[in-house]
């Protein structure tokens, strides 16, 4: 979004002038402000929309589960903030609504099976593909790759214990939300996931171009 870029540039410019920094430092500040402001805007929109739809808590659980795994495993990254925001909101809000309004129909056995399937599929994907580079974090060192892969696997083990514990004590809404949180992240680090999100990004770009031509 343009206002994120403008705010980030203004903040970076002001900070670099105040500290008497060079252009290279200003670019670093600009990048940092983009991430910080973008995250705040994304969080505010997610909370507002999910609250209005009555699914705020599962939406927050989904986003947290997604973000923690993404930190270690990487994944596909949209080229513009607007596209990233749109796709993220569609995925998270849709998943939150499904979790909120279907959890009471899940039996303990079905949910345990879903968690087990997600876990074993996730472990295979992480061992085979994680970590995937992002534009913000290019991993070339073999030791770094091994470290992030191990962290990803540990995360899945913790995720499994927590999900099963929630299921055992009957808190099915959050167990389902934890599943829905990591599924798009796992998909996003596979070659099929990259191809899928690339097509979505390309499609959104074409729609925007057609709209600009018409106007």
């Amino acid at each position: 979004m343009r206002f994120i870029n403008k705010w980030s540039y203004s903040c970076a410019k002001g900070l670099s002038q105040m500290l008497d920094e060079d252009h290279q430092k200003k670019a670093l500040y600009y990048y940092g402000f983009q991430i910080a402001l973008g995250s705040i805007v994304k969080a505010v929109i997610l909370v507002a929309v999910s609250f209005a739809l009555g699914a705020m808590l599962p939406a927050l659980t989904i986003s947290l589960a997604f973000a923690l795994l993404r930190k270690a495993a990487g994944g596909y990254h949209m080229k513009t903030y607007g596209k990233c925001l749109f796709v993220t909101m569609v995925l998270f809000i849709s998943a939150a609504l499904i979790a909120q309004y279907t959890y009471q129909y899940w039996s303990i056995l079905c949910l345990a099976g879903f968690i087990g399937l997600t876990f074993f599929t996730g472990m295979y994907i992480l061992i085979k593909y994680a970590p995937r580079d992002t534009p913000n974090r290019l991993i070339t060192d073999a030791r770094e790759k091994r470290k992030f892969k191990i962290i990803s696997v540990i995360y899945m083990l913790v995720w499994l214990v927590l999900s099963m514990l929630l299921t055992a004590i009957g808190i099915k809404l959050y167990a389902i939300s934890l599943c829905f949180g990591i599924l798009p992240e796992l998909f996003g680090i596979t070659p099929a996931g990259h191809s899928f999100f690339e097509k979505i990004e390309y499609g959104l770009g074409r729609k925007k171009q057609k709209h600009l031509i018409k106007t």
Side-chain angles (χ1 to χ4, degrees):
M1 291 184 177
R2 290 181 181 177
F3 73 92
I4 297 289
N5 296 332
K6 288 182 179 179
W7 289 354
S8 300
Y9 180 80
S10 298
C11 292
K13 183 179 179 181
L15 183 60
S16 61
Q17 287 177 347
M18 184 174 65
L19 299 176
D20 194 26
E21 301 281 12
D22 58 17
H23 180 73
Q24 209 169 23
K25 281 285 187 180
K26 184 171 75 173
L28 188 63
Y29 295 148
Y30 173 66
Y31 170 71
F33 279 117
Q34 270 190 317
I35 294 176
L37 293 173
S39 298
I40 291 170
V41 170
K42 193 180 290 185
V44 169
I45 293 174
L46 178 67
V47 169
V49 174
S50 60
F51 178 78
L53 296 173
M56 186 177 72
L57 292 178
L60 293 177
T61 304
I62 288 165
S63 62
L64 182 62
F66 176 92
L68 289 175
L69 182 56
R70 185 176 178 81
K71 199 74 176 174
Y76 188 82
H77 187 83
M78 298 265 173
K79 294 180 177 64
T80 66
Y81 179 78
K83 292 176 183 177
C84 178
L85 177 63
F86 175 77
V87 173
T88 300
M89 289 301 108
V90 169
L91 287 174
F92 287 5
I93 298 299
S94 299
L97 289 172
I98 293 172
Q100 180 69 52
Y101 295 109
T102 67
Y103 76 91
Q104 64 267 35
Y105 302 113
W106 289 69
S107 68
I108 298 296
L109 183 61
C110 286
L111 183 51
F114 183 46
I115 292 170
L117 180 62
T118 301
F119 172 74
F120 287 112
T121 303
M123 289 292 280
Y124 171 79
I125 291 171
L126 292 173
I127 291 170
K128 187 173 179 62
Y129 298 113
R132 290 297 293 260
D133 289 334
T134 71
N136 306 328
R137 190 188 71 191
L138 300 177
I139 305 173
T140 56
D141 184 74
R143 287 177 297 180
E144 282 288 293
K145 287 187 175 183
R146 179 176 173 79
K147 181 184 79 172
F148 284 114
K149 189 184 292 290
I150 291 172
I151 293 172
S152 300
V153 169
I154 292 172
Y155 173 88
M156 282 299 297
L157 292 170
V158 174
W159 173 92
L160 176 65
V161 172
L162 181 58
S163 299
M164 284 299 192
L165 179 61
L166 290 171
T167 302
I169 61 179
I171 309 179
K172 295 185 286 185
L173 172 60
Y174 295 105
I176 295 168
S177 298
L178 287 175
C179 289
F180 287 166
I182 67 165
L183 284 173
E185 165 58 17
L186 292 171
F187 182 57
I189 66 175
T190 65
H194 269 240
S195 177
F196 175 77
F197 287 118
E198 278 179 354
K199 288 177 181 177
I200 290 178
E201 186 170 18
Y202 176 72
L204 291 174
R206 289 195 63 182
K207 285 183 179 180
K208 183 177 179 180
Q209 287 179 349
K210 288 180 180 179
H211 176 72
L212 290 174
I213 291 171
K214 287 180 180 179
T215 54

